Structure formats: structure tokens, C-alpha cells
Amino acid sequence: MAYPILLVSLFILGWIVKQFSFTPKTLYKKINKFIIYLPLPAITLTKIPFLELSSSVVFPIASAWIIFFCCIAFAIIMGKIFNFSKATMACIILSCGLGNTSFVGFPILEHFYGKESIQYAIFVDQPGSFLIMSTLGILVAVYASSGNFSFKVIADRLFKFPPFICFIISLIIPKTWITGTLFDVLHYIGMLMVPLAMLSLGMQFHLKLKSVEWKPFVVAISYKLLIAPLIIYVLLFIVLKKQGLMYDVTVLECAMPPMITSSIIASEYGLNEELAGNLPTLGILLCIPTLAFWLILLQ
């Protein structure tokens, strides 16, 4: 209980700090850059080398990838209908194609389904959301921010992005190399990510609801909290006729609010910073009734 209270406190602190005239207006950008250059690469090195995949967890893993690709199609279609900019569409893909499957997801699942549920949730989170963010998510950010498609420009920016470099390294090095003191140091550095992200989001948050871009916000949050879990629910429970804890967990993980880390990447790349800040913060509040709906439906 103490950890969520700490995170909420950091969010409020971030909002308070930005009210002072002596606070640099771009302080949150410096925090975001720090997250991207240290905690995020550290998490990559402590998670990816230790992934052990099997056919028994194919559905939790596949669900995250399905949601991401569906979000790409959804963002493009909505972008054409509502004339969204490329930056806004990329922000929707990054923020709502990926969910807050660990910080919000794990505590909720453990509360309602017990510790057994985490063994399935982690596959939605690690080889699912986190792996997508480290690869396709970064690719989307680089492409959208580059202005036009240039393989050379995209490749150059991609291979200069610290989390992606660490992702490539994590695929090559044996997991025995990341042990002992090195693992502990990287683990503690990685633990800074979510608290710093909440502080940064607090600095970007505006109480004035008039400043929210409601059209892209409603489109994006509707996909993440309602359409995305509905896609997986229909696929698993209606089409494939699946039942059991693993499938309940999979649907609920897909119903979690927008991912904080991918929203920060969107902000760092200048992909509609206002929207990127509002989606994960307001999304956490708005997911309370929608998660209640999915929990009732799955009973």
C-alpha cells in the first residue's frame, strides 16, 4: 500500500513544483531524458535476458501484440476521419497500443485473483508490452518524429537510442553475465523509472480540463479501456471458447490504462506532448469504472 501512496505523492509533488516561478519549464524533459538514458536501459538488461517462453503462455504474449497492431490500424483510421496529425496518431499508438500492465496491472490482479495470476500477467507485460515498446514502439516514435520515411535517418536514430541499444545487447549476452552485484545495481537503477515518471507526469499535468484535446483523448482512451480488451475477450471467450484464470488475466491486462513509459517516449520525441501526458494520468482515473466492468463480466 505504501508504494502506490508514494507514487501518488510524487505525482502531486511534480504538479506543485511546476507552480513555482523558479522551476525550469523544461525540467520534466530532463527527467524524461534521464529515464530513457538510465532506468529504462537498466530494466531492459535485467528483464530480457531472463525471459523463458513456452507454448503454454502463447495467448498472454500474443494478446499484447494483437492490441498493438490493432491500435496502429485504429489510429490510422481515426486519424483520417478526424484529420489527426502524424504526431497525434503516433502518440495514440505508443500510449494506447501498450498498457500499464505492471505498475497498475500487477497489484489489481493480485488483489482480485491472488499471486497465481502474476505468473500469467508477467507474460503480457514482459515479452508483450515491454518487448513491443523496446522495438516497434521506438520504431514508431522515430518514424513519426523524422517527418518522412528515410531508412537511413530512422536506422541512425534507432541505433542511437539507449533502450534499443541495450535491447540488442540483452539478446546477445548470456544471462549469467547479469548476476550478483551488477544485477542488483541495474535493478535499483530500474526501480527509479516509475517514481521519476510519476514526478514528470505531475509536472506535465494541467488541472484545466479545457486544455485537454478532447477529440484525440476520447478516441485514444476509448480504444485502450474498452475496444482493446473487447477484441481479446471476443477472440478468447467467444471465438476460441477458452476458459480459466490465464484467459481472465489476459483480458484484464489488456484493459489496463495507457503505458507510462511509452507515453514518456512519445513526449520525448515531440509526439503531441500534451496528449502523451494526459493519457496515462487521466487514464488511471478513468480505468476504475471500466476495470470494474471487465471484472464483473469475467465472473
Side-chain angles (χ1 to χ4, degrees):
M1 187 67 182
Y3 187 61
I5 292 173
L6 171 64
L7 296 180
V8 172
S9 300
L10 285 169
F11 177 84
I12 295 171
L13 177 63
W15 182 82
I16 292 172
V17 165
K18 80 166 185 175
Q19 307 304 316
F20 296 107
S21 58
F22 58 79
T23 302
K25 292 183 178 180
T26 59
L27 180 58
Y28 73 91
K29 290 186 177 182
K30 291 180 171 61
I31 295 173
N32 290 352
K33 193 171 288 291
F34 177 82
I35 290 170
I36 287 170
Y37 274 78
L38 276 178
L40 190 51
I43 291 174
T44 302
L45 290 171
T46 56
K47 298 293 185 183
I48 300 299
F50 297 91
L51 287 178
E52 295 182 5
L53 309 180
S54 67
S55 58
S56 62
V57 289
V58 65
F59 290 110
I61 296 171
S63 67
W65 291 83
I66 291 169
I67 291 308
F68 185 79
F69 283 114
C70 286
C71 191
I72 293 175
F74 178 81
I76 291 171
I77 293 169
M78 292 296 105
K80 290 184 182 296
I81 293 173
F82 296 109
N83 197 29
F84 293 155
S85 66
K86 183 191 291 186
T88 296
M89 287 189 285
C91 180
I92 292 172
I93 293 167
L94 281 167
S95 301
C96 297
L98 300 164
N100 199 330
T101 46
S102 55
F103 162 53
V104 175
F106 289 0
I108 288 176
L109 287 168
E110 186 171 344
H111 176 76
F112 286 101
Y113 289 94
K115 291 184 178 180
E116 185 185 356
S117 63
I118 305 303
Q119 66 179 308
Y120 302 120
I122 199 166
F123 285 101
V124 182
D125 182 64
Q126 291 303 313
S129 300
F130 188 78
L131 185 57
I132 296 167
M133 182 202 67
S134 303
T135 52
L136 296 180
I138 295 170
L139 186 61
V140 167
V142 171
Y143 168 65
S145 64
S146 63
N148 55 359
F149 187 85
S150 168
F151 182 79
K152 183 179 179 181
V153 171
I154 291 174
D156 181 64
R157 296 186 68 174
L158 195 60
F159 284 96
K160 287 181 179 177
F161 194 65
F164 186 75
I165 295 169
C166 286
F167 172 73
I168 298 299
I169 293 172
S170 69
L171 294 177
I172 299 170
I173 60 173
K175 62 182 179 182
T176 52
W177 288 17
I178 311 293
T179 55
T181 304
L182 177 58
F183 181 89
D184 292 338
V185 170
L186 290 172
H187 174 69
Y188 286 117
I189 292 173
M191 286 178 65
L192 295 172
M193 189 192 74
V194 173
L196 286 175
M198 293 303 290
L199 186 66
S200 172
L201 289 171
M203 291 179 180
Q204 298 173 68
F205 185 68
H206 300 284
L207 278 179
K208 296 178 181 178
L209 295 180
K210 290 182 179 179
S211 66
V212 178
E213 294 181 78
W214 285 111
K215 192 177 292 183
F217 178 84
V218 171
V219 166
I221 208 68
S222 297
Y223 176 82
K224 187 66 201 73
L225 301 183
L226 297 172
I227 299 173
L230 179 62
I231 291 170
I232 301 303
Y233 179 84
V234 170
L235 178 63
L236 294 180
F237 289 90
I238 298 178
V239 177
L240 298 177
K241 307 291 184 182
K242 299 292 183 180
Q243 287 186 340
L245 177 61
M246 181 172 72
Y247 307 105
D248 290 350
V249 167
T250 299
V251 171
L252 284 173
E253 280 285 72
C254 292
M256 294 301 160
M259 185 187 245
I260 292 175
T261 314
S262 58
S263 296
I264 283 178
I265 290 174
S267 178
E268 181 65 19
Y269 274 88
L271 304 175
N272 199 328
E273 293 182 45
E274 187 89 16
L275 184 63
N278 286 327
L279 282 169
T281 50
L282 294 177
I284 289 175
L285 297 175
L286 293 173
C287 80
I288 296 172
T290 57
L291 282 174
F293 166 77
W294 291 111
L295 281 164
I296 293 169
L297 185 66
L298 291 167
Q299 285 181 353

